[in-house]
Amino acid sequence: MRSALTAEWRKLLGHTRAVSFLVWIYPIGALVIVLLLEILPGLFIDSVRDLAALNPPLWTEDSLVVWNTMNGFPGGTFLRMPFLGFIAIAFAGEYQWGTWKNILPHQSRTRLILSKFMVLGLLILLSLLLTSLVITAGGWVTAVLFDLPYGPALSELDLAAFLQEAVMQVFVTFAGTLIVAAYAALIAMYSRSIMASLLLSVGLSIVEFATSLILLIVSQALQRPEIVNALMITPTYNLENIRSWIVEGAGSTLGGFPGFTAVPLLPTSIIIIGLWLVGLLGLTAVVFRRQDITT
């Protein structure tokens, strides 16, 4: 397994342009935003410094902002689009360029597909971790330049609660990435096209988001508002519910969505996400093992 992971890591990083524009774009974009919207304006505009003094940066918020944003519903669905593009290249590219034929005779198919999932998930997490570090470093530089406190101090922080939130945010991001990757992989296995895999994966993400509106329309038409509670089985909702329990201390009601009353407890949502992961990854492995790569 180790050799498969190492080979997959080198292969994915070999797509230099794709990695640069679809993966490293997140920390690079964060650096540009920090420079253009925080540091440089504050050096030349007094009102920007005055505003920063009224709302001094907090490293606890800066370090988690990217995870909160990526895991938010529905905004996080659209922010993952560049990652979707890279995932489509990783899976569909093997078919489009005919590279599976050279790899499969020397590898277990199950091990190969699972290693691709793991490396993709870790690479995306690395990108977001770097983004978090850039934002946090930007807050520290802003505090130093404008002579502001950059709290809270460790002695004033509930470190255990902070670490719990951080770990769960990373878990939600990793699980969401693997679920999206499974969608893209299954589509790639049948379309064998990077463009088709990308477009259909994006379309599937949008359809999952639009499901809430469809259920709302159906529930209103049938005068059965409880129909919208079917959303509680979707992975997108449960990822948002996990985030909501950890960050806000309460389950997600989807902003008071009409008729939605089924708010699962945190352990229930974790179990549902686990079932989705096992089911999707297992289905992907089974389909891949049975597929004729030579045609």
Side-chain angles (χ1 to χ4, degrees), residues 45-204:
I45 304 174
D46 292 338
S47 60
V48 173
R49 292 195 295 271
D50 294 338
L51 182 62
L54 292 175
N55 299 281
L58 298 172
W59 66 267
T60 49
E61 293 183 0
D62 288 345
S63 61
L64 295 179
V65 64
V66 65
W67 308 100
N68 283 323
T69 304
M70 292 298 296
N71 295 331
F73 179 83
T77 301
F78 298 98
L79 286 174
R80 286 194 178 102
M81 294 307 180
F83 287 150
L84 266 178
F86 186 69
I87 292 169
I89 291 173
F91 283 102
E94 302 279 13
Y95 293 95
Q96 194 163 314
W97 301 320
T99 50
W100 279 135
K101 299 176 184 179
N102 300 323
I103 302 172
L104 290 181
H106 311 287
Q107 295 282 350
S108 161
R109 290 197 180 194
T110 301
R111 183 184 305 168
L112 188 63
I113 201 71
L114 291 180
S115 66
K116 189 178 285 290
F117 276 118
M118 292 300 297
V119 171
L120 275 171
L122 291 174
L123 187 59
I124 290 173
L125 282 184
L126 177 60
S127 171
L128 294 177
L129 177 60
L130 290 175
T131 305
S132 179
L133 291 175
V134 167
I135 295 173
T136 305
W140 177 79
V141 171
T142 300
V144 171
L145 289 177
F146 305 155
D147 194 24
L148 300 173
Y150 195 44
L154 289 178
S155 58
E156 302 173 356
L157 178 68
D158 186 345
L159 189 59
F162 173 76
L163 290 177
Q164 180 186 18
E165 178 179 347
V167 169
M168 289 303 297
Q169 290 280 27
V170 172
F171 164 77
V172 169
T173 303
F174 188 67
T177 299
L178 290 182
I179 288 173
V180 169
Y183 291 157
L186 288 169
I187 293 171
M189 289 177 186
Y190 290 100
S191 68
R192 305 196 177 196
S193 165
I194 294 175
M195 186 59 66
S197 180
L198 171 59
L199 293 177
L200 291 174
S201 297
V202 170
L204 187 59

Side-chain angles (χ1 to χ4, degrees), residues 171 174-179 182 272-282:
F171 164 77
F174 188 67
T177 299
L178 290 182
I179 288 173
I272 292 174
I273 289 299
L275 293 174
W276 271 101
L277 283 172
V278 172
L280 285 171
L281 295 181

Side-chain angles (χ1 to χ4, degrees), residues 5 147 182 197 213 217 232 243 254:
L5 290 171
D147 194 24
S197 180
L213 300 179
I217 294 172
M232 68 168 291
R243 187 206 65 80
L254 297 177

Side-chain angles (χ1 to χ4, degrees), residues 207-230:
V207 166
E208 187 177 350
F209 166 63
T211 299
S212 58
L213 300 179
I214 296 173
L215 288 175
L216 177 61
I217 294 172
V218 172
S219 67
Q220 295 293 330
L222 299 178
Q223 296 185 350
R224 296 183 60 185
E226 69 276 6
I227 289 178
V228 298
N229 287 330

